Amino acid sequence: MLLAIDCGNTNTVFSIWDGEKFLATWRTSTEHQRTADQYYVWISSLMSLQKLDVRITDVVISSTVPRVVFNLRVLCNRYFDCRPLVVGKPECRLPVGVRVDVGTQVGPDRLVNTVAGHAFYGGDLIVVDFGTATTFDVVDHDGAYIGGVIAPGVNLSMEALHMAAAALPHVDISRPDSVIGKNTVACMQAGVFWGYLGLVNGICTKIRAEHGRPMTVIGTGGLAPLFASGDAIFDEIRDDLTMHGLRIIHEFNRNDE
């Protein structure tokens, strides 16, 4: 069984792949202090609760938080008796190319999304990922990652607004009934929802114009369905895009051995 781990700045997602489907997916907050033993107790408890009697034999990791990787490596070595494949390390090969400025380090999560996007939808893609940052990854006709855009994440922007303006409260991110708010909460919800909808549509429109060819727009991340409800120009919503990218990369490296 393959354990795919996607470690982001805010949350870390664990999924078990049996070769045909994901049997389970769990999410926890990202904390670099968490030890390998703590990870194992947490994972084994969840597996027991879901009555999953499986043996993990392989692990693939994507992490935007380098300090977390050490304890995940210890977890794999100590409890699963395997060496994990880590996206972004020299030993991890990608089934797609990367064409960016020399010396540029591309986030592993963006590479993983590129791999999955190309596998499912072909080339000429924009992958919009709503995470701690809102990222736009541009995939060329042959599947190569050729750059993109990074904007502040939705939750990060709301937190910054609350911290900078003491009178403004924390609010849930939801689609308001109208653009014009009649109270403070409605005004804030309108600003973040319609503001980010405009940001997504505007950036995607400009990328398409600069790219010069028709492009498919894929939305992923927890807030993608919310913004799709507001007429964001997504052609497809794929919540599990990153996890599929990880298992595709693992299969590519295993078959290349």
Side-chain angles (χ1 to χ4, degrees):
M1 293 284 179
L2 172 67
L3 177 63
I5 304 174
D6 173 36
C7 178
N9 290 294
T10 303
N11 293 313
T12 300
V13 181
F14 295 74
S15 290
I16 295 179
W17 175 258
D18 71 352
E20 296 183 356
K21 63 183 181 300
F22 286 111
L23 299 178
T25 296
W26 306 296
R27 183 182 300 268
T28 185
S29 58
T30 298
E31 297 177 4
H32 71 271
Q33 303 97 331
R34 187 168 294 164
T35 67
D37 301 327
Q38 289 173 314
Y39 277 121
Y40 182 72
V41 169
W42 179 76
I43 293 171
S44 58
S45 297
L46 289 171
M47 291 174 64
S48 177
L49 284 171
Q50 294 191 224
K51 296 180 171 56
L52 286 177
D53 185 16
V54 298
R55 178 173 174 265
I56 303 299
T57 58
D58 296 272
V59 180
V60 57
I61 300 171
S62 168
S63 178
T64 59
V65 186
R67 288 189 295 176
V68 174
V69 176
F70 174 78
N71 283 326
L72 290 175
R73 285 186 181 274
V74 175
L75 167 72
C76 299
N77 178 65
R78 181 178 298 168
Y79 292 105
F80 304 137
D81 192 27
C82 71
R83 180 179 180 182
L85 182 68
V86 182
V87 179
K89 297 300 181 182
E91 64 272 16
C92 180
R93 293 167 49 82
L94 298 176
V96 299
V98 179
R99 295 196 288 270
V100 295
D101 292 343
V102 176
T104 299
Q105 295 291 323
V106 181
D109 54 331
R110 308 183 78 179
L111 298 176
V112 170
N113 285 344
T114 295
V115 169
H118 182 249
F120 285 122
Y121 307 104
D124 292 321
L125 299 177
I126 304 171
V127 180
V128 185
D129 190 352
F130 293 90
T132 304
T134 300
T135 59
F136 300 74
D137 300 320
V138 182
V139 184
D140 211 352
H141 65 93
D142 60 352
Y145 175 85
I146 58 173
V149 177
I150 301 175
V154 180
N155 286 301
L156 186 64
S157 294
M158 293 298 285
E159 183 66 22
L161 185 61
H162 169 72
M163 291 178 64
L168 296 180
H170 284 287
V171 299
D172 294 331
I173 300 170
S174 61
R175 177 178 177 170
D177 294 330
S178 63
V179 177
I180 301 173
K182 300 297 186 182
N183 55 66
T184 301
V185 171
C187 289
M188 293 176 68
Q189 288 176 332
V192 70
F193 182 83
W194 298 112
Y196 266 87
L197 183 65
L199 179 145
V200 169
N201 288 350
I203 289 179
C204 288
T205 297
K206 287 187 174 295
I207 290 174
R208 280 172 162 170
E210 188 172 303
H211 193 63
R213 289 192 297 271
M215 303 185 76
T216 301
V217 182
I218 311 302
T220 190
L223 291 175
L226 173 64
F227 287 99
S229 73
D231 297 325
I233 56 175
F234 299 135
D235 296 295
E236 190 82 21
I237 299 293
R238 191 87 193 220
D239 290 337
D240 57 359
L241 191 72
T242 304
M243 306 316 289
H244 276 291
L246 284 170
R247 62 96 180 162
I248 291 169
I249 290 172
H250 174 264
E251 290 170 6
F252 179 78
N253 281 267
R254 184 180 61 185
N255 294 335
D256 196 49
E257 291 178 352

